[in-house]
Amino acid sequence: MRQVFPFRKSVQGFVLACACAALLPIAAHAQKFPDKPVKLVVTYPAGGSSDLMGRIMGQKLSEYWGQPVIIESKPGAAGSIGMEYTARQPNDGYTFVVGNLGPVAVNPLITKVPYSIDKDFVPVALTATGPNVLVVPASSPYKNLNDILAAARAKPSTLTFGTSGPGSMAHLGGEMIMRQGKVKMNGINYKGGGQAVNDLLAGHIDMMVADALPVSQHIKVNKLRAIAVTSGTRNRNFPDVPTFAEAGLQGLVAENWWGVFLPAGTPKAIVDNYHAALVKVMADPDLKQKFADLGVEAHASTQDEFRTFLAAEIGKYARLVADNNIKGE
């Protein structure tokens, strides 16, 4: 019988060589990534929590990569516009987004969104967590949570609370206060937390369950009064502010969080590059202090840890939305 195996081996070797050659440009691209400016999509307007953290993170990544990181603001629809925009970008690593609780975990539960977190994104790392704070203007007659609940019961549907849109933590916080406190108030939706805080400072709305970032400085200079925090224990940045449980409403625990996502299909080598960069910059003492000054804690989880965290958060808020019949606009 004639031997054909050497021929087969040569063909197999040729095919393997061709495959390796085809992968070389991808590998080379990943190794030198990035070689041009990178876009960081922020899903809320300037002055809000995502914007402030994004600019700090972007500067550190720019220094690490040696390439500019350009902030691209895509606010609206409680963060969903920015998430959809990122999902539609090329998966070459040159566009990423800082997603948070609202557009990632809650919006898809309460309204139809034009993206799928599972199918359209690669979760890279959890990068920050922080409490939310119920705040009122310093001139407000409400000194504590009981004052607010008493006023809401005396005059139903007259007190107002600001939100960053349906599905935002500000929205859910207001809804939880109403349901657990058995009161009725009016939610006033804004495109972002920064705009809501401005109206709160001006006295146009009565209160807001806000990210710590945009309100912490106003609390420190006594322009806003902190009533309660949504964390399970008192926050080190607001040691004199009670938790909601301490203030009289049990079970209201809901921290905000932020994480980095890339469009689905981004090559693994580039995803790994991002993760390595985030591990480095999120541990930077200067960044950690700047985040702490804004009321949040910097992190750099593994990808698996982030996926597990996302599954737990989505499950938690799915139950909350269903139990309270919360719907988007």
Side-chain angles (χ1 to χ4, degrees), residues 24 87 119 152 188 190 260 278 301:
L24 283 176
K119 296 178 181 178
I188 308 299
Y190 295 83
V260 167
L278 289 169
S301 73

Side-chain angles (χ1 to χ4, degrees), residues 256-272:
N256 210 341
W257 51 262
W258 297 261
V260 167
F261 295 82
L262 286 161
T266 301
K268 184 180 184 301
I270 292 179
V271 176
D272 291 345

Side-chain angles (χ1 to χ4, degrees), residues 80-167:
S80 292
I81 288 177
M83 296 301 292
E84 179 190 11
Y85 172 80
T86 304
R88 306 295 176 250
Q89 298 305 296
N91 54 9
D92 57 5
Y94 285 95
T95 303
F96 72 101
V97 65
V98 175
N100 74 336
L101 171 67
V104 174
V106 178
N107 292 7
L109 298 172
I110 64 174
T111 190
K112 186 176 181 179
V113 295
Y115 56 85
S116 165
I117 295 300
D118 291 335
K119 296 178 181 178
D120 294 332
F121 295 97
V122 177
V124 181
L126 178 72
T127 52
T129 56
N132 297 274
V133 190
L134 174 61
V135 287
V136 299
S139 59
S140 171
Y142 312 127
K143 308 297 183 184
N144 53 51
L145 184 59
N146 285 334
D147 288 346
I148 292 174
L149 296 177
R153 291 178 183 126
K155 297 181 179 180
S157 300
T158 58
L159 270 64
T160 55
F161 62 94
T163 89
S164 305

